[in-house]
Amino acid sequence: DPAIRDACVDMCNNFHITTKESATKFREELKRIYYVTPTTYLQLITTFQTILGERRKEIEDEKDKYSKGYITLVETGQKVDNLGKELSEKKPILEQLNKETAQKVKEVEKSAEEVNKRREVIAADEAVAAK
């Protein structure tokens, strides 16, 4: 990509200028000479390439993580939509079953009342028979 290449050229130029300025400052403050040799400059570029590669890998890993998370969210949304449709389809059946259950509960309560009345009659008959 030409834009990336131009940016790298500008960065290498900046490396060279900054290193030269730092070497001059080092000589003035500490009275020691630091030479910028082609080897040290190539080491700087190699270190930059290594760091750049590591950073690109980190960014790619993060991008993959976000992509997978987005896909998971989309799939989950689709599942929720499908479950909502199923629920709306089954809602009339559920309402009918609730009505039938309520009717059966009433029948059981009525039967329980009849059973209680019969128990009372039987208990009274047992009390009379016991005397």
Side-chain angles (χ1 to χ4, degrees):
D1 184 15
I4 293 175
R5 183 174 298 239
D6 290 342
C8 287
V9 168
D10 290 341
M11 193 172 301
C12 288
N13 187 22
N14 186 30
F15 287 163
H16 187 68
I17 292 170
T18 306
T19 303
K20 191 174 181 181
E21 290 171 355
S22 296
T24 303
K25 186 177 179 182
F26 188 69
R27 184 182 65 226
E28 290 171 358
E29 290 180 5
L30 299 176
K31 307 294 188 241
R32 293 184 64 188
I33 297 175
Y34 180 78
Y35 294 101
V36 180
T37 64
T39 303
T40 56
Y41 188 69
L42 290 174
Q43 286 175 341
L44 174 67
I45 291 174
T46 302
T47 303
F48 174 74
Q49 287 175 332
T50 302
I51 292 171
L52 181 64
E54 290 171 357
R55 188 67 181 128
R56 282 182 176 167
K57 180 163 180 6
E58 289 173 9
I59 291 170
E60 190 65 31
D61 290 346
E62 289 293 319
K63 180 182 165 191
D64 289 343
K65 185 168 57 171
Y66 285 120
S67 294
K68 289 176 184 175
Y70 176 74
I71 290 170
T72 302
L73 286 174
V74 169
E75 289 174 352
T76 303
Q78 290 172 348
K79 288 178 184 177
V80 167
D81 289 342
N82 290 339
L83 289 173
K85 288 177 185 175
E86 286 181 28
L87 183 62
S88 64
E89 290 172 359
K90 293 180 179 180
K91 190 172 182 178
I93 297 170
L94 182 62
E95 289 174 355
Q96 179 63 31
L97 290 174
N98 282 339
K99 288 178 184 178
E100 291 175 6
T101 303
Q103 185 178 1
K104 288 186 181 187
V105 166
K106 287 180 184 178
E107 290 175 7
V108 167
E109 287 174 354
K110 192 182 252 187
S111 296
E113 287 177 16
E114 291 177 11
V115 167
N116 285 336
K117 288 179 184 177
R118 287 185 184 168
R119 280 188 185 160
E120 289 174 7
V121 170
I122 292 172
D125 288 344
E126 285 179 359
V128 170
K131 288 184 179 184

